[in-house]
Amino acid sequence: MKPTEIWTTELKNGIFGGLTPKSDPFDNTKFYISDGWGSSYPSMRLRQLSFEDGKELKTISIKNSVRCLYFNPDKTNIFAVSDNKIFQINRSDFSIIKKFEKGIQKYSDYISSNDKNTLLLMNYNADFLFIFNYEKEKGFKKKLKTCRGIIKESENTYLILCPIIGSIQQYDLKTNKLKEVLHTEIFYTAYKSKSDKLYLQLGKVIKDISNTHERIAPINQIDICSTSNLTNNREIKLGFHFDQFVVSENEEMLYLIHNNKIWVYSLIKNEIEKEILLNEKARIAQLFDEQKVFITYEYDKPNIITCWKF
């Protein structure tokens, strides 16, 4: 399968190590990136780009890389999390409504909210969930073990995906209590679909050696399960290495990604239907099923990004 190049644009800074490109949930013609490793701190910004032509539409100075974003359903407020700050941003004009610096947990990779006054944040390798009341500017911690996602179920209940212990925990914001709703294998990354299915790429723990942290490495298997139907489980074992995956909107396809290659796996036929292979320097930053495009950069030129139609 040969993709079609739509546009290429040169940015002021590279995107490697920054925010994984994220589409606007209220406007499917726009997406967001942030400046990554190798950028000077004063120059680092959150950027809104057009899917159509790659033009930069809005930017805001963060002076650090953005680790995660949360879009409030009011369509006005965006919360952007850097290493040591939280920015409340007006989505319409990209102005800073408020900046939170004191009393927050650093290095959060995942975020959710009750959409009233509270944010839930966690680092992928942390031992604590951080609950931050941004009206009172006070927070507290709840002991957990690693995180690959915080998913809102209701105003008070959230699923915390804990990979290293193989557990889906339900956190109740009102009572500050946790309970396990699903025990899983150790997993590397995860996605929860609109149909309530959990897609888990399984992983294995790499133990501490010298000064490195314990980490999870991906293995070539995806498990599909549900917290509401514990008997409806499915295993998909693949014969190749991948470390990213995207589930199609209709849940009929899996896009399996590694560096410069995409495998398109049919969940209906249980087979690889298509493959996309780019030049060896290309790195696939993100794939967007709704727009049927993916964004790439070259590993030695991370400030030049290209959008491909497939």
Side-chain angles (χ1 to χ4, degrees):
M1 180 182 180
K2 188 174 182 180
T4 302
E5 181 179 332
I6 302 175
W7 50 258
T8 294
T9 190
E10 184 170 354
L11 305 168
K12 293 181 180 178
N13 291 316
I15 66 169
F16 175 70
L19 178 75
T20 299
K22 188 176 181 67
S23 61
D24 190 308
F26 311 116
D27 184 348
N28 63 9
T29 68
K30 301 179 176 69
F31 69 100
Y32 299 81
I33 58 171
S34 76
D35 299 331
W37 297 349
S39 309
S40 65
Y41 283 116
S43 72
M44 297 178 79
R45 308 179 75 85
L46 174 67
R47 305 177 189 273
Q48 184 192 76
L49 274 65
S50 164
F51 271 120
E52 182 181 4
D53 54 20
K55 288 184 178 178
E56 190 174 88
L57 304 174
K58 298 185 183 79
T59 74
I60 187 169
S61 177
I62 302 294
K63 297 181 180 178
N64 207 320
S65 189
V66 175
R67 301 177 73 97
C68 55
L69 289 179
Y70 183 80
F71 295 84
N72 191 292
D74 65 10
K75 301 183 181 181
T76 298
N77 290 286
I78 300 175
F79 290 92
V81 181
S82 71
D83 286 350
N84 54 7
K85 298 180 180 67
I86 300 172
F87 296 80
Q88 186 177 357
I89 299 167
N90 185 304
R91 177 175 160 270
S92 299
D93 61 13
F94 254 40
S95 61
I96 295 177
I97 299 170
K98 197 164 185 178
K99 181 166 61 175
F100 304 95
E101 301 181 66
K102 295 181 180 179
I104 66 168
Q105 182 169 277
K106 294 182 179 181
Y107 311 120
S108 293
D109 299 302
Y110 298 96
I111 182 173
S112 190
S113 176
N114 68 349
D115 302 321
K116 289 185 175 181
N117 55 14
T118 300
L119 300 175
L120 293 84
L121 306 113
M122 196 166 175
N123 174 272
Y124 78 99
N125 205 34
D127 292 326
F128 296 94
L129 172 70
F130 182 63
I131 299 95
F132 180 65
N133 185 308
Y134 55 85
E135 288 186 347
K136 298 178 180 179
E137 297 190 39
K138 292 183 179 180
F140 61 93
K141 296 178 180 180
K142 184 72 175 178
K143 189 168 180 61
L144 269 172
K145 189 71 174 176
T146 67
C147 179
R148 288 297 186 275
I150 306 171
I151 300 164
K152 183 178 181 180
E153 291 190 302
S154 69
E155 182 180 325
N156 288 316
T157 59
Y158 302 81
L159 294 181
I160 317 297
L161 313 183
C162 303
I164 208 163
I165 58 173
S167 181
I168 310 301
Q169 298 277 328
Q170 186 184 68
Y171 175 70
D172 190 305
L173 181 61
K174 191 173 183 179
T175 63
N176 190 32
K177 291 184 178 180
L178 284 164
K179 69 174 181 180
E180 184 177 75
V181 292
L182 182 65
H183 185 72
T184 71
E185 300 294 326
I186 293 169
F187 56 92
Y188 174 71
T189 190
Y191 170 77
K192 186 174 184 291
S193 70
K194 294 175 183 177
S195 69
D196 198 38
K197 291 178 183 175
L198 282 164
Y199 293 76
L200 308 175
Q201 181 177 5
L202 301 191
K204 59 182 178 181
V205 176
I206 308 297
K207 297 295 184 180
D208 289 344
I209 52 173
S210 65
N211 294 322
T212 63
H213 293 293
E214 187 177 65
R215 62 185 180 88
I216 300 173
I219 63 176
N220 307 333
Q221 180 176 329
I222 288 182
D223 281 6
I224 305 173
C225 50
S226 172
T227 58
S228 59
N229 186 349
L230 301 182
T231 62
N232 187 23
N233 296 335
R234 181 176 174 185
E235 294 182 355
I236 301 173
K237 296 181 179 180
L238 290 308
F240 52 85
H241 176 75
F242 62 96
D243 45 27
Q244 299 179 62
F245 75 90
V246 174
V247 182
S248 67
E249 294 285 322
N250 59 12
E251 295 187 64
E252 293 182 358
M253 297 289 181
L254 284 176
Y255 303 98
L256 309 163
I257 302 168
H258 176 62
N259 286 347
N260 63 334
K261 190 167 184 178
I262 302 171
W263 295 264
V264 184
Y265 181 89
S266 170
L267 290 166
I268 307 300
K269 298 178 181 178
N270 298 317
E271 64 183 21
I272 299 293
E273 285 198 331
K274 302 171 186 175
E275 295 182 15
I276 298 172
L277 180 64
L278 304 174
N279 76 77
E280 63 180 15
K281 288 187 176 182
R283 295 295 180 264
I284 297 159
Q286 183 61 292
L287 181 147
F288 299 95
D289 176 68
E290 182 181 359
Q291 293 82 6
K292 293 295 184 288
V293 301
F294 58 90
I295 305 294
T296 67
Y297 63 91
E298 294 199 355
Y299 67 76
D300 57 348
K301 297 177 182 177
N303 65 315
I304 299 176
I305 64 172
T306 300
C307 183
W308 305 82
K309 189 81 175 175
F310 65 92

